[in-house]
Amino acid sequence: MSNQEATCYTVVYEDSSESPSTQDLRNALQKGSDEVKIDTLRKIIVLTINGNVQPQLLMPIIQYCMPSRNKHLKKLLHFYWEVCPKHDENGKLKQEMILVVNAIRNDLQHPNEYIRGATLRFLQKISRDQELLEPLIPICRSCLEHRHSYVRKNAVFAIYTIYREYEHLIPDAPELMQTFLAAESDATCKRNAFVFLANCAMSKAVEYVAQVHDQIGSLDELLQMAIIDVIRLDCKADSTHRSRWIRCIFELLNASSHAVQYEAATTLTALTQHTAAVKAAATTFINLVLKESDNNVKIIVLDRLDVLHSKHGHVFDNLIMDVLQVLSSADIEVRRKATSIALSMTSSRNVEDVVSFFKKQLQKTQVQDYEKAPEYRQLLIQSIHVCAVKFSEVAASVVHALMEFLGDSNNPSALDVVAFVREVVEKFPALRPSITKHLIRTLPEIKSGKVYRGVLWILGEYVESADEISETFQEVRKVLGEIPILAAEQRLLDEASIEDDEGKEGDEQKESITTKPRVLADGTYATETAYSSTASARLEAVKAANKPPLRTLLLGGDFFTGAVLATALTKLVLRFSDLSPDKKANALRAEAMLIMTSTIRVGQSKFSSAPIDEDSSERILNCIQTLSELEIKPVVEGIFLSDTKAAYSKMVAAQEKKAAENRELEAAKQDVVQVDDLLTFRQFTKKAGDDVIDYDEDVGRATGAGEAQEDFISNLSRISQLTGFSDPIYAEAYVKVHGFDIMLDVLLVNQTSNTLQNLCLDFATLGDLKIVERPTVYTVAPHGFQSIKATIKVSSTETGVIFGSILWEGPDLSEQAVILSDIHVDIMDYIKPAYCTEAQFRSMWTEFEWENRVNVSTTMSYVKHTHHLDQINVQLILSVSEPREYLKHIMKSTNMSCLTPEGAMAGDSNFLSANMYARSLFGEDALANLSIERLESGTITGHVRIRSKTQGIALSLGDRITMAQKDNRSPVKP
């Protein structure tokens, strides 16, 4: 057998510390017990699989192992006969194999059914050796009549594999199987025989299905699955039995096996597009999700249901409540997938029922022992948000129910509610008064600083009446407590001191000393002494006392919330002064300024856990200055009252526009056919159903068989030179990246006048790369060529290096070698642009621990190609130092997508900050933040921060950006 036709086996780990010689193995086979022979034969099999063939041991194995009655040893012998070389150098069968055939014949006639069945299974592995199989055909036929079903079912598949390779050995096999199928009673044997007919005699398989179609529902599960495959294949050939097959498939929708139900539903939609059939298939999918316990199966079925809905959306109108029942599953991914399908099915006719169901589920999440309640609650809130924005008639009924969760201890859920309320209050002006009133009443229940900031912004923008402004100030005073904060806290501390003085004079001066041993970094011991005074203890007690929520946040150091509070109060005062310029407006202005100054002072005192930051302090001072100049109508008044709201309105409008564009793209998405494309006859026939799942085509796509061939120029760009032209052997490699594999096609050229014997190409790798094949030895003639293929597995997105050497024996049997140049694996083949929301980006940025910071300092030049002028291609070198051009250059170099909206980067500015995101084929997320500045000299400076969950992708992308900076002539398309 040629090397190209040789079977490929898995490389098995071999302990190099124990490598017995051929004589040791022979002695163990000759003198050892059955246990020793089993262990020895296992070692020989491993050696043979790994390429170290032992032809001298073939006869000892035949002589000392074949006569044994040990079943384990017989099984190992089958493995050995499968992998050992059975032909000599001329391709003829070895003489020793005659003895092996005789032993196999005896095992096929053995009274033990296990030995017979195992031997029949072994025949399926050597079905390509005609000389071995031909004497065994009569015995295989006789095994079809054995009393035990284990023998019969293996005999069927043995005959099937022989007939598939050498049809002339058993020419009457289809008729034999048809007769066997009619008389057989065992379910597994019937299924095997039917599979034989389906693959070798389709007409007879169709004839059998037509005979048993009335009782197809009572057949065994395995046979039902095989019948579905036959129906699918028969309908691809425009069968005349289509109507009968549809009735059979309808009956199989009620089968007891979930696998049969899934295959039947999938096949039914391929046979017909009738509304009843599609609805029956969809109902079957939904029932499968509800009954199946495996979450992976649930997600697969939901994916299939989603595809079916995308093609037949009108059929699903009455099934949306059934889909929502899937939310009873405990797995959050299943719930998320089911919710996505339900939202795509939501229309104006059923949106009220859907929202009502979501609200009931939301109430259930309030139970303490509800599984994964926070995540599920957040999913429900987001779903209600989508429904309310898409269908305005339900917004009024859900917004007040959701605002009850603003005080939720689960921060993400409360933030989703704030985002929802903010969008609703902008889009639906009629709901603003009721929403703002509810928000004002909810202020004491809020616990999170982020939620407070969102609510305060909404109140500052949309509270418009004088009464509501006064009510807002009253509630703010309640959640802040006594003003000024610093004086109130100091009074509490003084009162605590007086109480201690009454209890014991001078107690505040008493100090307690605590001493305990410590282990230093160098391993030595030291004594640590801690001094604590009663005064500091009293201060901590005052800080720990129960306080209103907003006051607690300010004393805890959250002065960003304090700055948002100052901005909201400023907007309210400015609006109130326009509505009623009287003494009350002046009183509100004084109260607001008091709150702001109190915030700054407490931030500079000992009562705050952290000092106030400079940005928050400056922001609050700006608000104080604005209120102090109220009479002269400062310019910033327009910024406070109109510009901020206009900016948010513009952002919401941009989001709606983008969503509308995406919907239009999805609606207009269709297959584009070129003018000169060939037409097939299938395009002229009426489509009778959905696309049939062709498993053969799926396998072909998975193995890359259907990939388009690259052109010659593209292939040349992937060639790497491994040795020099003056070396004895010239080597070059064509590097082809396919999925998770790297294929190396190495060409070796013998540039000497000598024959190179025992030539071996040995590769090694750095990074998450793994060599699959074991090195093979070659002989290359003088000035001859040799092509060698190697496969390397890639397991992560990390910069890898492939290096190696070529070893051979010279004229005097001296070892000679040539070291190969390194091949660097480009990670860009595994990184693809991806998109995520801003919230997801922030969450991953906080979660990921690996960060790589790359400094930017470059002046970029681009080559712009102009048109041909008098047959001369003119190239114009332009120095482009725009920050946005540099961003495009980085995106192109790293295959990352920009998440920052185009509107946020619009305008002429010397500064640019943008977020980028990409995802690898291995599911690894890569985040990047670009912050750059253009100097007066035209130089772009700044940095790029890269974050990921693993170290490899962060370092690899950093290296890629560094290389992109060095490339000062990056081409830009005209």
Side-chain angles (χ1 to χ4, degrees):
M1 188 182 297
S2 62
N3 291 334
Q4 287 78 9
E5 297 177 352
T7 309
C8 177
Y9 299 100
T10 304
V11 177
V12 182
Y13 171 74
E14 181 181 350
D15 190 358
S16 58
S17 61
E18 299 180 2
S19 54
S21 63
T22 304
Q23 186 61 38
D24 295 337
L25 295 173
R26 180 191 293 268
N27 294 336
L29 292 174
Q30 180 178 358
K31 301 177 181 179
S33 60
D34 283 349
E35 288 73 16
V36 176
K37 291 179 181 179
I38 290 172
D39 185 60
T40 305
L41 190 56
R42 185 181 290 111
K43 293 178 181 179
I44 296 173
I45 293 173
V46 172
L47 290 172
T48 305
I49 289 176
N50 290 347
N52 188 7
V53 183
Q54 302 282 345
Q56 305 90 341
L57 297 177
L58 178 59
M59 199 60 204
I61 291 175
I62 295 174
Q63 185 176 0
Y64 302 114
C65 293
M66 280 203 324
S68 174
R69 296 184 177 182
N70 188 293
K71 294 183 177 63
H72 193 179
L73 189 57
K74 283 184 176 294
K75 189 69 176 177
L76 285 177
L77 277 174
H78 291 166
F79 289 141
Y80 178 72
W81 302 138
E82 181 182 349
V83 301
C84 74
K86 294 177 276 294
H87 298 79
D88 56 19
E89 296 178 354
N90 298 323
K92 295 183 179 180
L93 191 69
K94 292 183 178 180
Q95 295 296 324
E96 295 90 339
M97 298 307 296
I98 298 176
L99 300 174
V100 176
V101 172
N102 187 50
I104 295 174
R105 179 196 294 271
N106 294 334
D107 288 341
L108 288 175
Q109 296 174 329
H110 200 282
N112 186 297
E113 60 272 7
Y114 169 76
I115 294 178
R116 276 203 188 194
T119 307
L120 287 167
R121 292 189 65 180
F122 161 67
L123 291 183
Q124 303 171 33
K125 308 293 181 62
I126 59 170
S127 59
R128 292 181 179 272
D129 296 306
Q130 179 180 355
E131 298 178 54
L132 287 176
L133 296 173
E134 192 168 1
L136 306 175
I137 299 300
I139 303 177
C140 290
R141 296 175 65 113
S142 65
C143 287
L144 290 174
E145 301 174 0
H146 193 273
R147 59 180 177 80
H148 204 284
S149 61
Y150 178 72
V151 178
R152 297 198 302 273
K153 71 178 183 181
N154 284 295
V156 171
F157 271 169
I159 293 176
Y160 168 52
T161 53
I162 296 172
Y163 181 80
R164 186 177 57 190
E165 297 295 334
Y166 306 104
E167 184 176 339
H168 64 280
L169 292 181
I170 318 178
D172 61 336
E175 291 78 11
L176 180 65
M177 284 299 136
Q178 190 176 23
T179 306
F180 174 82
L181 183 59
E184 182 59 50
S185 60
D186 183 75
T188 308
C189 296
K190 292 175 70 174
R191 178 256 180 188
N192 290 2
F194 186 77
V195 169
F196 177 98
L197 295 178
N199 288 274
C200 301
M202 175 60 76
S203 59
K204 296 185 181 300
V206 172
E207 181 182 346
Y208 176 78
V209 177
Q211 293 174 359
V212 300
H213 78 279
D214 294 333
Q215 53 192 13
I216 194 171
S218 60
L219 297 177
D220 183 73
E221 170 190 351
L222 296 175
L223 187 56
Q224 287 176 341
M225 294 284 287
I227 289 175
I228 292 175
D229 288 336
V230 168
I231 291 176
R232 185 187 293 119
L233 294 173
D234 187 50
C235 288
K236 286 180 65 176
D238 295 331
S239 172
T240 57
H241 302 283
R242 180 181 292 271
S243 59
R244 179 184 293 180
W245 295 157
I246 292 176
R247 290 196 298 272
C248 292
I249 295 297
F250 259 108
E251 188 173 354
L252 290 176
L253 291 178
N254 301 319
S256 58
S257 169
H258 291 175
V260 174
Q261 291 181 20
Y262 176 79
E263 292 294 337
T266 304
T267 305
L268 182 61
T269 58
L271 297 182
T272 177
Q273 285 186 333
H274 194 274
T275 302
V278 174
K279 190 172 183 178
T283 305
T284 303
F285 285 139
I286 295 172
N287 292 333
L288 280 176
V289 177
L290 294 174
K291 296 177 182 178
E292 181 60 42
S293 58
D294 191 336
N295 292 325
N296 294 321
V297 175
K298 289 185 177 183
I299 292 177
I300 292 172
V301 177
L302 285 173
D303 285 334
R304 188 64 191 169
L305 183 66
D306 194 14
V307 173
L308 192 63
H309 172 253
S310 65
K311 297 179 180 179
H312 310 279
H314 62 283
V315 183
F316 283 68
D317 291 342
N318 299 325
L319 297 176
I320 186 169
M321 299 309 296
D322 296 330
V323 174
L324 289 175
Q325 296 301 321
V326 180
L327 295 179
S328 59
S329 173
D331 186 73
I332 189 64
E333 293 299 328
V334 175
R335 287 171 169 170
R336 186 173 286 113
K337 185 66 180 179
T339 304
S340 174
I341 297 174
L343 290 178
S344 65
M345 297 167 59
T346 306
S347 63
S348 57
R349 295 188 298 272
N350 55 31
V351 64
E352 293 184 0
D353 296 334
V354 173
V355 171
S356 176
F357 181 86
F358 284 152
K359 289 165 67 175
K360 291 179 182 178
Q361 292 292 312
L362 203 56
Q363 294 298 327
K364 291 181 180 180
T365 61
Q366 299 295 94
V367 181
Q368 294 292 334
D369 57 348
Y370 199 84
E371 189 172 1
K372 295 184 179 179
E375 297 178 4
Y376 187 35
R377 188 183 307 129
Q378 184 179 5
L379 176 63
L380 291 171
I381 291 172
Q382 293 172 351
S383 304
I384 295 175
H385 182 179
V386 173
C387 291
V389 172
K390 190 175 180 181
F391 305 98
S392 58
E393 60 268 21
V394 300
S397 63
V398 299
V399 66
H400 295 287
L402 286 186
M403 281 194 287
E404 300 295 335
F405 293 91
L406 284 173
D408 193 354
S409 57
N410 182 33
N411 197 26
S413 298
L415 289 176
D416 287 335
V417 173
V418 169
F420 167 66
V421 173
R422 184 175 57 189
E423 190 169 351
V424 169
V425 81
E426 167 62 27
K427 289 185 175 181
F428 307 106
L431 299 177
R432 289 176 185 175
S434 61
I435 291 177
T436 52
K437 286 181 181 179
H438 200 130
L439 287 178
I440 293 171
R441 293 195 302 268
T442 313
L443 281 176
E445 303 173 4
I446 301 175
K447 304 178 181 64
S448 169
K450 292 183 178 180
V451 179
Y452 256 119
R453 293 196 287 270
V455 171
L456 289 173
W457 185 89
I458 295 173
L459 294 178
E461 293 292 347
Y462 298 102
V463 172
E464 297 175 347
S465 66
D467 294 338
E468 288 185 350
I469 293 175
S470 301
E471 187 180 355
T472 303
F473 265 85
Q474 292 176 6
E475 291 297 329
V476 169
R477 286 292 298 268
K478 289 181 182 178
V479 296
L480 272 178
E482 187 179 352
I483 301 294
I485 301 176
L486 180 58
E489 296 294 318
Q490 185 63 48
R491 190 179 68 252
L492 289 176
L493 181 60
D494 294 341
E495 289 176 358
S497 300
I498 293 173
E499 291 177 0
D500 290 344
D501 290 342
E502 292 176 356
K504 185 175 181 180
E505 193 71 26
D507 187 52
E508 72 278 1
Q509 302 298 329
K510 184 177 179 181
E511 294 181 343
S512 61
I513 303 175
T514 305
T515 304
K516 53 184 177 180
R518 285 284 184 182
V519 181
L520 301 180
D522 58 356
T524 60
Y525 289 90
T527 302
E528 180 182 71
T529 303
Y531 295 87
S532 61
S533 64
T534 308
S536 61
R538 283 198 299 268
L539 178 61
E540 294 297 327
V542 171
K543 288 183 179 181
N546 191 20
K547 296 179 177 65
L550 190 52
R551 189 189 194 96
T552 303
L553 291 173
L554 293 177
L555 293 175
D558 188 0
F559 292 102
F560 183 26
T561 303
V564 175
L565 172 64
T567 306
L569 294 179
T570 302
K571 294 176 183 177
L572 294 175
V573 171
L574 292 174
R575 192 173 294 117
F576 190 88
S577 63
D578 292 339
L579 294 173
S580 56
D582 53 9
K583 294 182 179 180
K584 189 173 182 181
N586 195 31
L588 286 181
R589 178 172 62 160
E591 185 177 357
M593 296 175 69
L594 177 61
I595 293 174
M596 297 176 197
T597 53
S598 177
T599 303
I600 294 177
R601 290 197 63 194
V602 78
Q604 298 170 346
S605 68
K606 61 183 177 180
F607 294 99
S608 174
S609 300
I612 186 171
D613 56 285
E614 186 178 349
D615 291 340
S616 299
S617 177
E618 184 178 355
R619 180 70 167 161
I620 297 173
L621 287 174
N622 287 338
C623 294
I624 295 175
Q625 183 179 1
T626 301
L627 293 180
S628 64
E629 301 172 352
L630 190 60
E631 290 80 3
I632 61 175
K633 296 289 183 181
V635 180
V636 293
E637 182 175 345
I639 298 176
F640 276 108
L641 293 182
S642 59
D643 290 359
T644 53
K645 185 189 295 186
Y648 179 67
S649 301
K650 186 178 179 182
M651 186 187 79
V652 173
Q655 291 176 350
E656 290 181 345
K657 182 180 178 182
K658 186 175 181 180
E661 291 175 353
N662 291 336
R663 287 194 296 269
E664 291 177 1
L665 287 176
E666 291 179 359
K669 189 180 294 182
Q670 58 183 358
D671 294 334
V672 179
V673 181
Q674 299 298 329
V675 177
D676 56 348
D677 283 352
L678 294 177
L679 297 179
T680 59
F681 286 106
R682 184 173 296 180
Q683 287 177 314
F684 294 107
T685 61
K686 182 180 178 181
K687 189 174 181 182
D690 292 346
D691 295 334
V692 181
I693 298 178
D694 195 327
Y695 296 106
D696 294 334
E697 293 181 3
D698 288 347
V699 172
R701 286 193 294 267
T703 56
E707 288 188 350
Q709 298 295 324
E710 295 183 348
D711 56 7
F712 181 69
I713 301 299
S714 177
N715 289 342
L716 288 180
S717 65
R718 293 180 174 272
I719 291 179
S720 301
Q721 184 176 340
L722 302 181
T723 63
F725 293 107
S726 60
D727 288 321
I729 297 178
Y730 173 75
E732 64 181 22
Y734 167 62
V735 184
K736 169 67 175 176
V737 178
H738 172 66
F740 305 108
D741 299 335
I742 297 177
M743 308 294 294
L744 296 180
D745 189 353
V746 184
L747 174 65
L748 303 181
V749 181
N750 182 4
Q751 300 192 111
T752 67
S753 302
N754 303 321
T755 300
L756 305 182
Q757 296 182 348
N758 295 329
L759 183 142
C760 177
L761 177 61
D762 193 8
F763 280 118
T765 59
L766 286 178
D768 288 337
L769 306 176
K770 185 178 294 185
I771 305 291
V772 177
E773 287 91 353
R774 186 184 180 93
T776 308
V777 177
Y778 301 91
T779 299
V780 184
H783 303 289
F785 296 81
Q786 179 67 47
S787 179
I788 302 175
K789 291 181 172 59
T791 304
I792 297 174
K793 290 287 184 182
V794 185
S795 57
S796 72
T797 312
E798 183 177 350
T799 301
V801 180
I802 305 172
F803 58 94
S805 61
I806 303 175
L807 307 174
W808 73 92
E809 291 182 358
D812 301 330
L813 298 181
S814 59
E815 289 191 359
Q816 299 185 18
V818 173
I819 306 300
L820 304 178
S821 300
D822 297 341
I823 301 175
H824 293 269
V825 179
D826 189 1
I827 67 166
M828 291 301 105
D829 292 322
Y830 299 96
I831 293 181
K832 304 298 179 185
Y835 296 91
C836 66
T837 63
E838 182 182 357
Q840 292 172 335
F841 183 90
R842 291 177 181 271
S843 175
M844 288 188 290
W845 187 270
T846 306
E847 177 186 354
F848 292 170
E849 56 184 3
W850 290 103
E851 178 173 323
N852 186 14
R853 181 186 175 110
V854 180
N855 294 323
V856 175
S857 180
T858 182
T859 302
M860 300 175 57
S861 299
Y862 294 91
V863 178
K864 184 175 181 180
H865 297 274
T866 64
H867 297 287
H868 288 274
L869 299 176
D870 297 332
Q871 305 301 321
I872 300 176
N873 189 18
V874 180
Q875 292 184 346
L876 180 63
I877 300 178
L878 303 175
S879 178
V880 181
S881 56
E882 286 289 338
R884 275 176 292 182
E885 295 293 339
Y886 182 78
L887 171 63
K888 294 178 182 178
H889 176 61
I890 293 297
M891 290 169 55
K892 181 179 180 182
S893 302
T894 59
N895 283 353
M896 302 189 81
S897 61
C898 182
L899 301 181
T900 305
E902 187 68 27
M905 299 184 292
D908 187 13
S909 175
N910 291 333
F911 298 90
L912 177 65
S913 179
N915 294 330
M916 296 179 289
Y917 177 62
R919 190 173 178 85
S920 72
L921 294 178
F922 307 96
E924 301 167 317
D925 297 299
L927 313 176
N929 174 259
L930 174 72
S931 299
I932 54 176
E933 175 188 4
R934 180 180 58 188
L935 303 180
E936 294 181 358
S937 61
T939 303
I940 294 178
T941 62
H943 61 266
V944 181
R945 297 170 63 192
I946 306 165
R947 286 197 180 183
S948 64
K949 187 173 291 186
T950 57
Q951 183 183 19
I953 190 171
L955 295 177
S956 300
L957 280 176
D959 295 340
R960 185 75 181 183
I961 293 175
T962 303
M963 293 173 60
Q965 289 189 68
K966 295 178 181 179
D967 185 10
N968 290 329
R969 293 174 62 87
S970 305
V972 171
K973 294 181 181 180

